[in-house]
Amino acid sequence: EIVLTQSPGTLSLSPGERATLSCRASQSVSNNFLAWYQQKPGQAPRLVIYGASMRASGIPDRFSGSGSGTDFTLSISRLEPEDFAVYYCQQYGNSPPELTFGGGTKVQIK
Amino acid sequence: QMQLQESGPGLVKPSETLSLTCTVSGYSISRAYSWGWIRQPPGKGLEWIGSFYRGGTTNYNPSLKSRVTISVDTSKNHFSLELSSVTAADTAVYYCAGDHNSAWYFYWGQGTLVTVSS
């Protein structure tokens, strides 16, 4: 089983600042099967990035994903008020087939 | 536009079986590639429960595999979750989700809170 470790646990930033979130896998993530989700209180997760770097439909271009192998990053270039939320990374492994989530990073207003 | 809606009891007694249904609207369930269940205990992170793939394959979280069954009813355009022998640790918001591939989920239900308590 691949374990995903997200850091930091909490990120305190001001609107307009850049956010950089890290997701590290215990083993290499095959085929860049790595996704990022945004979750706000009382809401379902929302897919932000898939395939490590592809923005999901409706996601603004201030969101970007990068990385490969075991180290992945979600960047938000200029934080908008609606971006303050918890972000989870998730990987898909096909041997055996399973999904695992990281523990999450909370991006809060400073 | 695909929409998903979970339904089922909000309260289940310990040792009993939790049963939830996810109704899919706006899309034929047989067309998507993957359907899954994910849960989130209050104040905690997300946990994948299992997924059903087009073609009939089902995969489960190894930590839950002995207690989980996911099934699909294409005639009703819905899929279901059964989790047996529940304990308080199974108290969570349960989400259903779907996508056209196997590796992530774009479409999510709003989630339903299931509490395990006597």
Side-chain angles (χ1 to χ4, degrees):
Chain A
E1 176 189 349
I2 295 179
V3 176
L4 299 178
T5 302
Q6 292 189 240
S7 62
T10 302
L11 198 53
S12 297
L13 296 168
S14 300
E17 289 193 298
R18 181 181 185 85
T20 302
L21 288 66
S22 173
C23 177
R24 179 161 290 178
S26 59
Q27 303 172 44
S28 183
V29 176
S30 60
N31 300 310
N32 276 354
F33 283 154
L34 193 286
W36 292 90
Y37 297 87
Q38 174 193 73
Q39 188 180 33
K40 298 179 181 179
Q43 296 184 17
R46 177 191 185 193
L47 182 66
V48 176
I49 297 288
Y50 64 93
S53 62
M54 305 296 291
R55 274 190 302 276
S57 176
I59 300 300
D61 61 6
R62 62 180 179 272
F63 288 87
S64 63
S66 62
S68 64
T70 60
D71 290 299
F72 298 88
T73 300
L74 174 68
S75 299
I76 311 171
S77 59
R78 296 172 307 279
L79 283 164
E80 297 286 342
E82 61 268 28
D83 300 335
F84 291 92
V86 179
Y87 292 83
Y88 294 94
C89 59
Q90 172 249 301
Q91 70 87 31
Y92 170 77
N94 54 20
S95 184
E98 62 179 8
L99 278 73
T100 54
F101 289 91
T105 290
K106 182 178 183 179
V107 179
Q108 65 181 21
I109 298 176
K110 187 174 181 180
Chain B
Q1 179 77 348
M2 186 190 305
Q3 293 186 315
L4 293 81
Q5 178 68 57
E6 305 89 351
S7 60
L11 181 64
V12 181
K13 289 183 168 55
S15 80
E16 295 190 343
T17 296
L18 179 160
S19 296
L20 295 175
T21 295
C22 181
T23 300
V24 180
S25 59
Y27 199 81
S28 170
I29 201 168
S30 60
R31 289 179 58 194
Y33 189 83
S34 172
W35 304 99
W37 289 95
I38 298 95
R39 71 180 183 179
Q40 185 171 37
K44 296 187 178 181
L46 300 167
E47 179 182 35
W48 173 68
I49 299 171
S51 299
F52 181 95
Y53 303 97
R54 188 171 63 199
T57 303
T58 310
N59 290 304
Y60 301 122
N61 185 322
S63 68
L64 300 170
K65 187 175 183 177
S66 64
R67 301 193 290 131
V68 175
T69 302
I70 293 174
S71 59
V72 175
D73 188 334
T74 55
S75 67
K76 296 181 179 179
N77 220 46
H78 73 207
F79 60 105
S80 301
L81 168 71
E82 288 195 338
L83 180 66
S84 64
S85 305
V86 296
T87 69
D90 295 310
T91 293
V93 174
Y94 285 76
Y95 295 100
C96 61
D99 207 297
H100 302 292
N101 73 90
S102 61
W104 39 73
Y105 288 112
F106 181 84
Y107 301 97
W108 291 69
Q110 65 184 26
T112 186
L113 174 63
V114 179
T115 301
V116 178
S117 174
S118 56

